[in-house]
Amino acid sequence: MTDQAQQASAAHPAPPEIPGKPTSASRTTLSHIMTHGDTNLLGTVHGGVIMKLVDDAAGAVAGRHSGGPAVTASMDEMAFLEPVRVGDLVHVKAQVNWTGRSSMEVGVRVMAERWNESTPATQVGSAYLVFAAVDADGKPRTVPPVLPETEKDRRRYQEAQIRRTHRLARRRAIMELREQRAAEGFED
């Protein structure tokens, strides 16, 4: 190492390695019973109510995994598979699927069952959210790597990497198109 490189390294030391956390360390379930105040004009539970529960559960998981505040950066692929009704007990299950330097993908599965029946819950929705860990000043902070524990966790980790690649490629393509249109004199 050259003297200059040693001086630069001393001036900007590499951040200490953060020990990884297993997937199960931050996994959580949020349960809520749906009431008339949660309904839309069709009499079923409003999608926005479900989305808030999804964001709440994912935010709790991201905060637990990162050991502090985390903010929602994006929500991908929110799928509503079945309507949710008044009286349904909704279970929102969330876990960290993948981590980057300061970001985390959280996978969420939404299950519903009748509050007064003993039938198994059915999946009514799913989503993927990206959270960024932030410090007290709102600046990005490093997160621990997630350590997949099961074969299912490893599959989710690999799928999350694919989604990340697609998100970055989509963002890059949009920015290139906007720059091209601006260079051609188009204003948005």
Side-chain angles (χ1 to χ4, degrees):
M1 188 182 273
T2 66
D3 288 340
Q4 188 178 19
Q6 286 177 338
Q7 289 172 351
S9 178
H12 300 287
E17 294 247 350
I18 298 175
K21 286 186 176 179
T23 307
S24 61
S26 57
R27 188 178 290 140
T28 194
T29 300
L30 172 75
S31 297
H32 189 80
I33 193 159
M34 298 292 108
T35 66
H36 288 286
D38 300 319
T39 60
N40 59 27
L41 296 175
L42 299 174
T44 57
V45 173
H46 195 287
V49 170
I50 301 298
M51 290 173 75
K52 179 168 184 341
L53 293 173
V54 164
D55 191 44
D56 287 347
V61 166
R64 284 173 130 182
H65 182 83
S66 68
V71 296
T72 310
S74 70
M75 178 183 266
D76 288 354
E77 302 177 38
M78 179 72 211
F80 298 98
L81 306 173
E82 298 284 335
V84 177
R85 302 172 293 160
V86 169
D88 281 353
L89 182 57
V90 172
H91 308 285
V92 183
K93 301 171 179 275
Q95 76 171 44
V96 173
N97 290 335
W98 177 89
T99 53
R101 188 183 60 76
S102 62
S103 63
M104 300 158 277
E105 184 196 88
V106 178
V108 180
R109 176 172 286 156
V110 183
M111 309 292 289
E113 62 182 309
R114 294 305 294 166
W115 69 275
N116 60 348
E117 296 176 9
S118 60
T119 56
T122 58
Q123 185 173 356
V124 296
S126 65
Y128 299 102
L129 296 88
V130 176
F131 279 79
V134 295
D135 63 17
D137 297 321
K139 304 287 186 217
R141 61 183 176 80
T142 306
V143 299
V146 67
L147 305 174
E149 299 172 279
T150 66
E151 201 51 46
K152 190 182 280 190
D153 292 340
R154 284 184 276 285
R155 176 187 54 78
R156 288 174 176 163
Y157 185 91
Q158 292 171 327
E159 290 174 357
Q161 289 177 305
I162 293 168
R163 282 187 292 274
R164 180 177 187 271
T165 300
H166 286 249
R167 273 193 295 281
L168 294 174
R170 183 177 60 230
R171 182 182 305 147
R172 204 170 25 254
I174 289 169
M175 296 310 291
E176 288 171 3
L177 177 63
R178 288 178 181 177
E179 289 172 10
Q180 176 188 347
R181 289 181 55 81
E184 293 170 356
F186 293 103
E187 291 184 33
D188 286 337

